[in-house]
């Protein structure tokens, strides 16, 4: 049987009294696009930040290629995590650097490329996300929201990572630009043969970029299945969330 | 009884909060300093921080030092003329500026300008996930963002204080010769006859320590800011206030340590 690229067992994380993750189990098979959905504050971002090492979980196992990154020596954990590329929700481009330096930042940091060759490499990667050569010299603040997302995607794929994370990739974009970004994500992931985890509230986006889907609710994965089954699921929690029904098992705090 | 319990609880919370803050700050400082000495090094970022802290702070520090020297000469004259001790003005100005006012006033000015900018920049990077993004791109944020600033602070402040010392003395010289009737030769001879190397060196040691404190507080407060624009504003205020208080407190401690009878 094929070993999962990412295997998570019993992952727990609390902030003070609030249990954000309360025993998350999740398998992501190699080359699979996993979409994680869930309400605001359900722990989606904490989940991927735990995998990438930005948040330290309280308990549980996170395996990448069968190795537990939480128990691995620091250097080995860093090596395992170096194969992860991430697209942040708001792009998180470095304001102080031009676009080309943003795109090749990881390559330069890992010494995979020399500074003299970085600009050419950036132009090459920018072309893969549909951006023209002249964008390379611009500052991130000179770009529209959609272009910033594309540059952030270019930065994430520049080092050709084996694993990619997408944190709400279509948030803040109009539906057409959202669909364009989704298409680029699918293209890039397929071309690189990467394993991906995307977290999103956007059901159309979830079905476009995901092969598999999982729903986080009350700190656990309450449902998992094929992404195409999301909208037809009979699970009451998934049904309420995907169709945006105000009434159902998910209780939202309303003040009247 | 409840009042006493609440009072004890409040005092306890303040003490615990202070201990936690000092502990976090200490660990942050140790981590930042250790990254200065470990590769990779970022000379371009150190250069950029030197420009931010040193070069761009030069106008405000220069003006502060110049006017302080001028005021000091005038005020000293007012007091010393009552004891027929006007001849001591030059030595008072030069000793005050080099040992005390140069480093302290430059420190307060740089804290307000560069320390605030540092906290705002790092705070914005924190709340827009740029610091997290650095981690995902195989770059240690402490090494990339904090270490160059700490080093630049320690280098830039003594250079600024050298210039502040010269301009402060020049301010006193201008007022004394143009307004108080001193001859230039007399004033300069009096200035340099009372000035010793350790006076200048003690001021430069203070400057290096203040530079470290300014960069540390700017980086620390910015690095751990949270909550969007309001959080960045709070981090900026806290960076300036804590750095200013630390500069004044450390000034006394360093003066005591470097005190020569």
């Amino acid at each position: 049987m094929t070993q999962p690229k990412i295997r998570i067992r019993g992952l727990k994380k609390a902030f003070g009294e609030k249990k954000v993750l309360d025993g998350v189990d999740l398998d992501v098979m190699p080359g699979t696009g996993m979409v994680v959905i869930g309400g605001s504050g359900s722990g989606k971002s904490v989940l991927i930040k735990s995998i990438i090492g930005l948040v330290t979980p309280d308990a549980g196992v996170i395996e990448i290629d069968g190795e537990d990154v939480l128990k691995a020596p620091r250097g080995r954990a860093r090596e395992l995590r170096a194969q992860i590329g991430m697209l942040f929700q708001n792009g998180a481009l470095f304001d102080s650097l031009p676009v080309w330096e943003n795109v090749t930042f990881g390559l330069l940091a890992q010494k995979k490329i020399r500074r003299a060759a970085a600009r050419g490499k950036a132009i090459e990667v920018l072309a893969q996300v549909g951006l023209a050569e002249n964008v390379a010299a611009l500052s991130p603040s000179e770009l529209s929201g959609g272009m910033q997302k594309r540059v952030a995607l270019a930065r994430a794929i520049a080092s050709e990572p084996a694993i990619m994370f997408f944190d709400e990739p279509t948030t803040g974009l109009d539906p057409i630009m959202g669909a364009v970004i989704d298409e680029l994500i699918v293209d890039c992931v397929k071309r690189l043969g990467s394993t991906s985890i995307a977290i999103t509230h956007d059901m159309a986006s979830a079905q476009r970029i995901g092969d598999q889907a999982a729903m986080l609710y009350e700190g656990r994965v309450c449902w998992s299945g094929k992404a195409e089954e999301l909208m037809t699921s009979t699970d009451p929690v998934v049904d309420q969330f995907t169709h945006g029904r105000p009434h159902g098992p998910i209780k939202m705090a309303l003040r009247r | 009884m409840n009042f006493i319990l609440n009072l004890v609880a409040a005092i306890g919370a303040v003490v615990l909060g202070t201990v936690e803050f000092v502990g976090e700050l200490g660990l942050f400082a140790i981590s930042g300093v250790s990254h200065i000495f470990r590769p990779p090094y970022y000379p371009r970022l150190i250069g950029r921080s030197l420009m931010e802290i040193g070069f761009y702070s030069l106008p405000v520090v220069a003006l502060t030092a110049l006017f302080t020297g001028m005021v000091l000469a005038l005020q000293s004259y007012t007091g010393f003329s009552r004891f027929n001790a006007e001849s001591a003005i030059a030595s008072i100005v030069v000793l005050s500026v080099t040992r005390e006012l140069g480093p302290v006033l430059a420190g307060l000015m740089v804290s307000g300008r560069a320390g605030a900018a540092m906290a705002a920049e790092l705070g914005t990077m924190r709340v827009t996930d740029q610091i997290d993004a650095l981690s995902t791109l195989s770059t240690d944020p402490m090494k990339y963002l904090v270490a160059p600033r700490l080093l630049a602070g320690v280098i830039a402040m003594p250079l600024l204080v050298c210039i502040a010392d010269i301009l402060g003395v020049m301010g006193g010289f201008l007022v004394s010769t143009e307004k108080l009737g001193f001859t230039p030769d007399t004033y300069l001879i009096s200035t340099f006859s009372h000035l010793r190397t350790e006076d200048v060196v003690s001021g430069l040691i203070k400057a290096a320590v203040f530079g470290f404190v300014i960069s540390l507080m700017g980086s620390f407060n910015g690095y751990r800011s949270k909550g969007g624009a309001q959080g960045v504003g709070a981090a900026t205020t806290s960076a300036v206030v804590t750095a200013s208080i630390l500069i004044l407190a450390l000034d006394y401690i360093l003066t005591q340590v470097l005190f020569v009878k």
Side-chain angles (χ1 to χ4, degrees), chain B residues 62-206:
Chain B
L63 284 173
T64 305
L66 184 70
F67 286 119
T68 301
M70 291 164 79
V71 168
L72 199 57
L74 279 178
Q75 294 285 28
S76 304
Y77 184 84
T78 308
F80 286 11
S81 62
R82 292 173 193 170
F83 308 103
N84 296 321
E86 297 92 334
S87 59
I89 289 174
S91 48
I92 286 295
V93 169
V94 73
L95 291 179
S96 303
V97 167
T98 54
R99 292 186 70 94
E100 190 63 40
L101 296 175
V104 170
L105 292 179
L108 294 176
M109 288 296 138
V110 173
S111 160
R113 210 203 69 79
M118 218 179 281
E121 185 181 354
L122 295 194
T124 305
M125 288 186 76
R126 168 61 73 196
V127 300
T128 56
D129 290 333
Q130 290 179 53
I131 292 181
D132 285 349
L134 277 175
S135 301
T136 67
L137 293 165
S138 306
T139 302
D140 189 327
M142 287 296 290
K143 185 175 287 299
Y144 187 80
L145 297 173
V146 179
R149 285 170 167 84
L150 292 178
L151 184 59
V154 173
I155 297 170
M157 269 297 288
L159 296 175
L160 275 175
V161 168
C162 276
I163 295 167
D165 287 351
I166 293 166
L167 289 171
V169 171
M170 200 173 93
F173 172 82
L174 285 175
V175 167
S176 302
T177 53
E178 297 298 320
K179 196 167 171 64
L180 303 177
F182 284 78
T183 63
D185 288 352
T186 316
Y187 189 90
L188 289 176
I189 288 165
S190 181
T191 294
F192 291 111
S193 64
H194 291 97
L195 183 66
R196 294 181 192 159
T197 309
E198 58 258 35
D199 298 325
V200 179
V201 171
S202 71
L204 297 182
I205 292 170
K206 283 183 179 181

Side-chain angles (χ1 to χ4, degrees), chain A residues 75-185:
Chain A
R76 180 62 189 149
R78 202 180 298 134
E79 276 173 24
L80 289 168
R81 283 169 170 146
Q83 56 180 317
I84 301 175
M86 176 141 177
L87 172 63
F88 284 85
Q89 186 176 347
N90 56 14
L93 297 175
F94 306 126
D95 307 323
S96 56
L97 302 178
V99 165
W100 70 268
E101 270 194 81
N102 266 282
V103 172
T104 52
F105 192 95
L107 293 171
L108 288 166
Q110 293 171 35
K111 297 192 177 358
K112 285 185 178 173
I113 191 173
R114 293 176 64 182
R115 196 167 177 81
R119 200 181 178 111
K121 175 69 180 173
I123 289 168
E124 193 183 298
V125 182
L126 285 170
Q128 292 173 21
V129 296
L131 289 174
E133 187 178 337
N134 62 341
V135 173
L138 299 176
S139 154
S141 60
E142 295 175 272
L143 306 176
S144 68
M147 287 170 87
Q148 286 188 10
K149 274 272 162 68
R150 289 192 203 200
V151 172
L153 179 59
R155 184 175 69 182
I157 64 169
S159 58
E160 303 186 351
I163 301 169
M164 298 190 67
F165 291 163
F166 304 103
D167 188 357
E168 306 198 17
T170 56
T171 297
L173 301 178
D174 66 63
I176 297 171
M177 184 52 72
V180 169
I181 295 292
D182 285 342
E183 206 172 80
L184 285 169
I185 286 173

